[in-house]
Amino acid sequence: QVQLVESGGGLVQAGGSLRLSCAASGNILVINSMGWHRQAPGKQRELVARIMSGGSTNYDETVKGRFTISRDNAKNTVYLQMNSLKPEDTAVYYCKVDLNGSGLKYFEVWGQGTLVTVSA
């Protein structure tokens, strides 16, 4: 089985920075992509950023230039560096990993979520 452990959320003033981490462990053969989604109360969950196994990245337009997604392949860990935070970034941030385990069995795994609160 696969486990995701998220950390790094918290309370920050507008303009501040936070760094989220998500570490995957367990039955992992190949990680296809790792990404971050967020969901604010009353709003639809949305993709924030994603990084593919080849290193290519995708960002939601609202975070381009402010957020950076990166990974440490040796540790099966993905990071989200969030700079110039705005109150509208306030949400629960969820890590998502698409992977193949032993026998190339496909798994889609979600983290428990970490709360990011940005005050004006």
Side-chain angles (χ1 to χ4, degrees), residues 6-7 11 19 38-39 53 69 96 104 110 112 119:
E6 297 183 34
S7 63
L11 175 64
R19 190 192 193 202
R38 67 186 180 186
Q39 188 167 22
S53 60
I69 189 169
K96 181 186 177 183
L104 297 180
W110 288 87
Q112 80 280 5
S119 62

Side-chain angles (χ1 to χ4, degrees), residues 10-21:
L11 175 64
V12 66
Q13 297 284 339
S17 298
L18 287 172
R19 190 192 193 202
L20 307 183
S21 299

